[in-house]
Amino acid sequence: MEQQSAVSLDVVALRYGRDDPTVTLGIAARAWEPFAGELALPGVLLGRGERLDAAARRAVHTKLGVPEAAIAAVGQLATFDEPTRDPRGPTLSIAMWAVVTEHDTDHATWVPFDKVPTLAFDHNRIVETARGLLAGMLWKNLRFTRPLVGEEFPATRAVELTTALEGARPDPGNLNRTLATLPGLTRTGERMRVKATGRPAAVWAFEPSA
């Protein structure tokens, strides 16, 4: 009898707190074989009748220790179907994204995209693919962008967020023009000094009803 593939979810959970200098993603050591003790993205097998969003939230909560209330949004990225990606047998992986807001504690290791260590399974490939897809969503998909950047933010934060996902620093003028086209986002006229040295940055804010 031909072996059937299991369906798993692996989640690229992003954090960009008010005091974080860049975007980081959550990884944690695996508790069980295969790859016990090795770092991996939070992942779970999809339960019978379980929706993808619910499974992604379950993975972030149980594998990273992030409180459920701090998981602001989740969504789907891509599917990975390499038959040998899991030594236990064929496993179809649906890669998801999640945005995690500030919270008191978890047991994750948070790392920038440029410093992701060697991960179990094909998780480094998932992270690499996810980075490009998320960069394409940034400033276009507000369900992803808004909880990540925050309701009010200085222009320098937008620059750092774009740099983290695209891997290159954007032109500030082009970025400001992009921000000006976002529905519900306005330049407040206020300025914020982000660092002790340097010019105060313009502040952008989403309208509460947007």
Side-chain angles (χ1 to χ4, degrees), residues 12 14-16 20-25 111-116 127-128 130-132 134-136 138-139 144 148 156-170 175:
V12 179
L14 304 181
R15 185 185 75 175
Y16 190 29
D20 293 334
T22 189
V23 179
T24 53
L25 60 97
V111 295
F113 276 98
D114 291 333
K115 295 183 179 180
V116 176
V127 169
E128 182 180 356
R131 186 179 190 178
L134 293 169
L138 186 63
W139 313 121
F144 164 69
L148 189 60
T156 49
R157 184 173 172 84
V159 170
E160 295 303 329
L161 173 56
T162 305
T163 301
L165 294 183
E166 294 186 352
R169 199 167 185 84
L175 180 57

Side-chain angles (χ1 to χ4, degrees), residues 21-147:
T22 189
V23 179
T24 53
L25 60 97
I27 54 178
R30 284 181 52 79
W32 314 103
E33 295 290 354
F35 307 113
E38 295 188 28
L39 293 169
L41 295 172
V44 293
L45 289 175
L46 185 65
R48 184 181 297 273
E50 187 176 30
R51 304 298 295 268
L52 295 180
D53 282 15
R57 291 175 180 276
R58 177 166 62 89
V60 175
H61 174 59
T62 59
K63 299 301 177 69
L64 300 183
V66 173
E68 294 179 358
I71 306 171
V74 298
Q76 189 173 345
L77 283 170
T79 300
F80 294 80
D81 61 356
E82 171 56 51
T84 60
R85 62 176 303 276
D86 190 324
R88 293 168 294 189
T91 304
L92 186 71
S93 173
I94 300 174
M96 305 284 288
W97 60 264
V99 174
V100 173
T101 58
E102 295 188 57
H103 53 280
D104 291 335
T105 185
D106 58 52
H107 51 252
T109 298
W110 298 93
V111 295
F113 276 98
D114 291 333
K115 295 183 179 180
V116 176
T118 299
L119 303 177
F121 302 104
D122 57 349
H123 289 187
N124 287 93
R125 181 186 170 211
I126 291 176
V127 169
E128 182 180 356
T129 301
R131 186 179 190 178
L133 295 173
L134 293 169
M137 291 167 53
L138 186 63
W139 313 121
K140 298 179 181 69
N141 183 333
L142 291 187
R143 181 167 162 264
F144 164 69
T145 302
R146 187 165 176 169

Side-chain angles (χ1 to χ4, degrees), residues 153-157 176 187-192 194 199-204:
F153 56 92
T156 49
R157 184 173 172 84
N176 279 332
R187 189 165 173 166
T188 65
E190 299 178 6
R191 302 190 78 84
M192 180 186 300
V194 181
R199 296 170 56 189
V203 175
W204 295 81

